[in-house]
Amino acid sequence: MTTPWGEPALSRFPVDPRDRLRAWDASDEYLLRHLAEQAIDLSGTVVVVGDRWGALVTALAAHGPTQITDSYLGQEATRLSLARNGAEPGAVRLLTTQDPPPDRIDVLLVRVPKSLALLEDQLLRLAPALHAGSVVVGTGMVKEIHTSTLTLFERIIGPTRTSLAERKARLILCTPDPSLERPANPWPYAYTLPGGVGAVSGRTVVNHAGVFCADRLDVGTRFLLRHLPDGDGARRVVDLGCGNGVVGTAMGLAHPEAEVLFTDESFQAVASAEATYKANGVPGHAEFRVGDGLSGVPDGSVDLVLNNPPFHSHQATTDATAWRMFTGARRALRPGGSLWVIGNRHLGYHVKLRRLFGNSELVASDPKFVLLRAVKR
């Protein structure tokens, strides 16, 4: 990536030589160029929110920025890029969306997230640290910035305008108004599940901002909940890519003798899963882990993996995440253990499962979804 401060070498995480997706885009370059052209003073507290793969803080490492991210993979990519480019240990302060934000922010740089709810939550959390002299700049591709995006900045931070588009990227320029009366933060948000979804019918779900389908039960998860395995004999169950944890909570309620591992790469998701599990007083034992799928889980240590894999990485459509999840599940499963996957019919997950496990059984289907089961032989 070419920046006014040099050309840092960047990569996504985990590193895959076959991955042709870049660790930055035109909106990252536009923001960095704007900072240099406007001679923005970076000597104070610089906070970067939503830096997807660490491109922004790596370029600005000499100014000691703080990165706030919801992504474990993004944070690991940042560590890798900082080390690769010779940054001093501790040059960048790495925080998650679950950590307390800095008390004072002089420059706030926001990479607009896909989730409007996550943007709302983060702006409300960070706004008290801004002052009249703070510089606030958002960035994103044109297709990622909508009227609702600008309305949030205007309502929470202050007067907002946008730049001209360059290479399909745009900047959001916002002037903090310390006198602005901000709304209360609605996150985390809790709601009651409907009936007809098995063990969690009528139960409470808690969602932190940015978690998939935070205000309702998505149709894919609803379908999975109606066809959950009986779990008999499963001592260790994994809710892989757990989101708000409703699937793992359902297994815990139906089989309190089983230990449930909730894992996701989103800090917001794992916090949601833990809150959902505790809100329902599940009697069994659970573990909550932020990480890259089943990385770190010992080989042959689990009996059952339940998975609703994503097929997007930010704006890019990709099956790389699903493939890593399936591969990790096969490694972690004991012989005879099984992976249950819910997915859109058109994604063709049965082909990948047969290739990896040597088998794939159709458990249930409807016009949109298929529920597949693969057994480790």
Side-chain angles (χ1 to χ4, degrees), residues 81 85 124 189 192-193 207 215 225 231 240 244 269 345 377:
S81 291
N85 290 279
L124 285 169
Y189 173 77
T192 302
L193 289 167
N207 293 272
D215 59 348
L225 288 170
L240 176 58
N244 60 27
R345 182 181 291 274
R377 304 300 188 191

Side-chain angles (χ1 to χ4, degrees), residues 28-80:
D28 297 313
E29 294 175 317
Y30 194 179
L31 174 56
L32 293 169
R33 193 163 60 251
H34 171 80
L35 295 178
E37 290 173 352
Q38 298 300 313
I40 302 297
D41 182 5
L42 300 174
S43 62
T45 301
V46 179
V47 174
V48 182
V49 180
D51 191 4
R52 293 181 180 174
W53 300 103
L56 296 174
V57 294
T58 300
L60 298 173
H63 301 282
T66 294
Q67 182 197 67
I68 300 176
T69 181
D70 179 43
S71 172
Y72 171 86
L73 300 182
Q75 194 174 76
E76 290 303 299
T78 301
R79 295 183 199 276
L80 184 64

Side-chain angles (χ1 to χ4, degrees), residues 138-160:
T139 189
M141 303 306 290
V142 169
K143 63 182 179 182
E144 300 171 329
I145 297 176
H146 312 284
T147 301
S148 55
T149 312
L150 304 178
T151 299
L152 274 184
F153 276 90
E154 186 98 23
R155 182 164 60 96
I156 298 172
I157 305 297
T160 300

